[in-house]
Every structure is written in structure tokens, then in C-alpha cells.
Amino acid sequence: MDIYVIDVEGGNSVLFVPPSGESVLIDTGNVAPGNVRDAGRILAAAKDAGITRIDHLIITHWHGDHFGGLTELAKLIPIKQFIDHGPNVQPGPVPDEFVQKTYPALYADATHRVVKPGDTIPVAGLNWVVVSSAGEVLKTPFRGEGKHNPYCASYKPGENNAEDPQSVGSYITFGKFRTVHLGDLTKNKEFELMCPNNPIGTVDLLLGLHHGVSSSNSPVIVYALHPRVAIINNGTRKGGDPETMQTIHSSPGLEDLWQMHFSLLSGQEYTTPGMFIANTIDDQQPSMPIQPMEAPTPGPGAPPAPQHNGTAYWIKVSAQQGGAFTVTNARNGFSKTYQSGE
Ligand SMILES: [Zn+2]
Ligand SMILES: [Zn+2]
């Protein structure tokens, strides 16, 4: 199975293509001028994978960095099934207009499915289970799982908006290879999902991590899932902040962290080495500052994040049924194979 983590500038878009060719796309990228940028990048990954349609599209939640490219993408490639958590719960003119008017027209010639935890999405060659949706989380553990989670005792609650906790979260297995993508699921939902008992068990690969921001990624989930590899869909100044990086870098059993982008919020103090990072910025600094940058207060007065207008590179994961997987950075060709643990 090939997995493409696509650069959508701090949004999310991940394409799964098992050997059957039945594809699943999680999210369609960020809001961008005309929304063509990210749709084009997703199409490039689909072409590289040799597919001519998206069989299942999951929109994790109604934030513009997750559905931003959908209108344009639907013009470029057929989408057979649209999957989501249900109505938008964080009122705003853009998502409200999209969910009420644009979206129903897009799925008029396809199927539309609202999922809940425990649902499976039938994909030939994969086992795909929904573990969170619409603020609900998986309560029945997978067979043989449900053991006490030791990290719950030190859990600290987080802040969140209304839509991130609604995220559709997925647990995916391909033979012995296991991975999780939880959209932008927040700390409080991580706790509900993973405490007091861990219903999922451990994974080889942890995907997304809410762009690597600190309103998600508590040890109750990162440590307990015990990933060998994590890939964060961060932006140039979104995610990769010290709190998140401390959690990921100290996660038991983690072999490597890969990133979509350099992040100014890491500084050399917390960043992963550049060979594990797929995308840089247009204006290169002579050196990476040691100290992480403080994220500016969001709002109209915030300075713009550093731009990335050059080639957008993906990170590609090629997984084997036996559990081994190879991660490749399309920017520099750097590649590393993680042999099956069993
Ligand atoms: Zn980029
Ligand atoms: Zn997001």
C-alpha cells in the first residue's frame, strides 16, 4: 500500500492506495486562491499512484484547511463516495455556505455517508475502522485490546474550538501494518478515546497529529499508541511548537519524526533533522535559529507566515503486508525502511 502525505501548506490531505487500487483520500487541502493549488497537488499524487478516481473521500471536519480544495478537486477527478461526521457545528459564513449549498451538489452523483465510531469503511485489501466522529469516540475495544493506559494519570486538559473535536478519526490496517489518522482531534477527545483504557493498541505509523499543534498530541494518545514513525502535516508556522515536539521526541519506541514543512516554531532546539522534512520556505535564512519562534497572536495584526511557492513535495509511505514500511522524502530522495517488528 502506498500512502501519500501531500503538502497543502499546513492543511491536511493524505491519499491511501492499496494494491487493489481502491483509493481513500482523507481531506482535500487548504483554502488557497481559487483553491486550485491544493487540488493540483492532490491530483499529482493520484497520477503518481496510477489511479483515475477517488473511491472514498473522508472530510474529517468542516475547517477550511481540510475541505478547502474540494470544489476544485471534484472537477479534476471523479469522487465516488463522500464521508463526513455530519453538519458543521462551528458557525461561519464559509463552511456554512459550503456544507449547505456546495457540498450536496458535489455528492449528488455519488454516495454520501455520515459515519460514527465503530463503523467500517469497506476498502478492498484494507481494514478501515472509524474511531471518532461527531464528538463521539470508540467505546468497544478492538479484539485483544482495552488494556489500562498508564498515561491517563498525568493528563492535562486542553483548549479547543467546536469543529476539531468532531473529527472523523480512522484506524487502518494492511496485513500487519497499522496506522492511525485522527484529523484534528483535540486533547480532550484524545482523553475520552484513550482513557482509562486504550481501545486501539499500538500502531506502526501515526499520521497527521493535527498539524503538530499543542491543542492535540497529549501523551495519552502519542505515548500509548507507541508509533515507530510519526508524520506531521504542519505548516511553515503552524505546528511543531516546543510542547508538541517534546511529546513526540520523547514518545517511547519512536524511531523517527517526519514533517511536511520546516516550522519556525521549532527552532533548532526542537526541530527534526532537515532530511526528514519535505518542504522548505522561499526565503531561506542563512541558518536556523536555535530558539523556537513564539507563534504570533492570531488575527488581522499577525505577520504573514513564510511563503512556500516552489515545488510542493510529498512524503510517501510504502507499506508491506508483513508490517515493514519505507518512508521517502520526495524533496531530497532520502528514504528509510522500518523492518517488521514481529
Ligand atoms: Zn509547502
Ligand atoms: Zn486543521
Side-chain angles (χ1 to χ4, degrees):
M1 171 170 64
D2 290 331
I3 304 170
Y4 294 79
V5 181
I6 300 160
D7 178 19
V8 289
E9 306 300 335
N12 181 62
S13 189
V14 184
L15 177 65
F16 297 76
V17 184
S20 67
E22 187 172 350
S23 59
V24 185
L25 180 68
I26 303 182
D27 293 332
T28 57
N30 223 324
V31 173
N35 289 335
V36 288
R37 181 196 68 200
D38 292 356
R41 293 176 179 184
I42 296 163
L43 188 71
K47 281 192 171 149
D48 191 77
I51 57 165
T52 54
R53 66 178 198 196
I54 304 294
D55 293 292
H56 311 270
L57 168 66
I58 299 171
I59 297 293
T60 58
H61 63 297
W62 301 116
H63 277 164
D65 56 330
H66 295 259
F67 71 84
L70 177 50
T71 307
E72 289 302 318
L73 183 69
K75 295 176 190 167
L76 300 176
I77 188 167
I79 302 168
K80 307 308 276 183
Q81 183 176 47
F82 293 71
I83 298 166
D84 57 67
H85 71 65
N88 177 38
V89 302
Q90 186 179 328
V94 174
D96 285 342
E97 158 109 13
F98 183 84
V99 174
Q100 287 158 24
K101 294 186 181 155
T102 311
Y103 187 59
L106 295 177
Y107 66 66
D109 295 329
T111 58
H112 174 226
R113 184 175 174 199
V114 174
V115 288
K116 57 183 190 310
D119 284 354
T120 57
I121 297 170
V123 184
L126 299 184
N127 182 27
W128 195 295
V129 186
V130 174
V131 298
S132 68
S133 183
E136 301 294 322
V137 296
L138 186 73
K139 280 300 164 204
T140 309
F142 296 145
R143 186 197 300 255
E145 302 300 341
K147 296 183 187 74
H148 170 69
N149 180 348
Y151 305 109
C152 298
S154 49
Y155 168 75
K156 293 185 195 70
E159 299 274 318
N160 54 252
N161 56 48
E163 261 296 312
D164 285 341
Q166 306 287 310
S167 291
V168 175
S170 296
Y171 171 83
I172 304 124
T173 54
F174 171 64
K176 287 183 176 169
F177 174 79
R178 302 150 300 164
T179 184
V180 157
H181 191 302
L182 297 174
D184 287 357
L185 202 71
T186 49
K187 279 182 175 167
N188 299 348
K189 293 296 169 188
E190 293 169 354
F191 180 79
E192 287 178 29
L193 175 62
M194 299 296 286
C195 294
N197 300 318
N198 172 358
I200 293 175
T202 62
V203 299
D204 300 295
L205 172 65
L206 181 55
L207 287 165
L209 295 94
H210 189 184
H211 320 295
V213 305
S214 55
S215 56
S216 297
N217 302 307
S218 59
V220 298
I221 194 140
V222 178
Y223 288 11
L225 289 178
H226 204 269
R228 298 177 67 189
V229 171
I231 305 177
I232 60 175
N233 51 5
N234 66 304
T236 56
R237 204 185 60 202
K238 180 178 182 183
D241 52 278
E243 182 188 337
T244 307
M245 296 303 264
Q246 284 176 356
T247 302
I248 299 172
H249 286 309
S250 62
S251 184
L254 191 94
E255 294 173 48
D256 291 305
L257 167 63
W258 297 66
Q259 295 183 201
M260 259 300 95
H261 259 279
F262 282 95
S263 174
L264 292 181
L265 306 189
S266 299
Q268 277 201 47
E269 191 79 0
Y270 298 99
T271 188
T272 200
M275 62 184 173
F276 294 94
I277 300 175
N279 292 283
T280 63
I281 56 179
D282 294 348
D283 296 323
Q284 293 289 322
Q285 298 166 296
S287 67
M288 181 82 161
I290 300 287
Q291 284 306 311
M293 192 188 120
E294 282 276 335
T297 311
Q307 294 283 311
H308 173 224
N309 295 306
T311 309
Y313 297 98
W314 55 62
I315 289 175
K316 183 176 173 183
V317 180
S318 296
Q320 309 296 321
Q321 294 256 12
F325 60 107
T326 299
V327 184
T328 303
N329 180 345
R331 176 176 63 84
N332 55 17
F334 174 66
S335 184
K336 184 168 174 180
T337 295
Y338 302 87
Q339 296 297 344
S340 171
E342 287 143 338

